[in-house]
Amino acid sequence: MTILIAMPNRDPQPLVGAIQQTAPDIRVCIWPEIGDPERISMAVLWQHPEQLAESLPNLQAVHSYGAGVEHIINDRTLPVDMPIARVSGPRLSASMVDYLFHRVSSVKAGITAGEIKIGILGYGQLGRAVASAFLQQGFQVMTWRRRREVSDEVAVFAGDQGLTEMLGQTDILICLLPLTPATVNIIR
């Protein structure tokens, strides 16, 4: 098996090392040095070059190097039935929380956490981790999702009316929704 890593603006070496340590029999190539394209059966992609998939006749699955898959779904050269996987889990959640704490701290200068109402669009794995982390830091947290859900931790808004209601109360908005036709331009 040969895996192609194509993520032009990211350092692939940590991933290459992890693959080689875990599964030393798997060959890894890094775009643009792909060698024989017929040997590649899986690709790990992040903002990959357009039409890359066209040059990989035996590609059986793709994996996004991030939580989002829109860069893969939008690649019209991939077969519509191509299996797609994405990153998830505690390490991704921790990275997202760290990133968001940094971003929020840059805008909250001089304001205590308890005075800030954070609204989170999306209450899946990432949304729950982010909500919990901000609650632990003393922020007021509310979330929005398509369907109503009861939560002991945060106020959960749902549907179009719930979105409008939550946005009206939000000081800082965090969007963790997947980019799909249903979420494009959700904030009008």
Side-chain angles (χ1 to χ4, degrees):
M1 170 191 259
T2 300
I3 296 176
L4 169 66
I5 298 174
M7 42 190 202
N9 298 315
R10 297 185 87 161
D11 179 9
Q13 292 308 319
L15 179 58
V16 171
I19 292 169
Q20 290 174 339
Q21 183 177 11
T22 305
D25 294 341
I26 293 177
R27 293 190 46 200
V28 178
C29 57
I30 302 169
W31 181 87
E33 304 297 324
I34 66 172
D36 180 0
E38 292 191 15
R39 296 186 70 169
I40 296 169
S41 57
M42 181 175 180
V44 177
L45 308 173
W46 185 256
Q47 305 300 326
H48 62 285
E50 286 186 35
Q51 302 175 334
L52 175 63
E54 280 182 332
S55 67
L56 306 172
N58 295 315
L59 189 63
Q60 298 172 16
V62 295
H63 194 292
S64 175
Y65 193 64
V69 295
E70 60 275 358
H71 61 284
I72 295 171
I73 292 171
N74 293 334
D75 183 340
R76 297 185 195 280
T77 65
L78 278 172
V80 294
D81 60 347
M82 177 68 65
I84 299 172
R86 66 178 180 85
V87 172
S88 66
R91 289 178 69 189
L92 175 66
S93 296
S95 285
M96 183 61 73
V97 166
D98 288 346
Y99 170 77
L100 291 170
F101 275 154
H102 174 74
R103 297 299 298 165
V104 167
S105 69
S106 70
V107 296
K108 77 168 194 91
I111 304 170
T112 62
E115 299 175 81
I116 298 174
K117 295 178 183 172
I118 303 230
I120 301 171
L121 298 178
Y123 197 48
Q125 181 181 1
L126 280 178
R128 290 174 199 280
V130 169
S132 179
F134 275 95
L135 281 169
Q136 289 174 11
Q137 294 298 314
F139 290 88
Q140 298 177 55
V141 179
M142 54 199 137
T143 65
W144 177 87
R145 56 178 293 149
R146 292 219 175 272
R147 291 177 293 287
R148 172 77 49 205
E149 178 178 310
V150 177
S151 168
D152 293 335
E153 286 193 315
V154 297
V156 179
F157 295 84
D160 292 342
Q161 185 173 345
L163 178 60
T164 301
E165 188 178 342
M166 187 192 83
L167 291 175
Q169 301 175 44
T170 298
D171 297 316
I172 296 174
L173 181 66
I174 296 171
C175 182
L176 297 173
L177 296 170
L179 184 58
T180 68
T183 62
V184 169
N185 297 321
I186 195 163
I187 307 296
R188 311 175 255 307

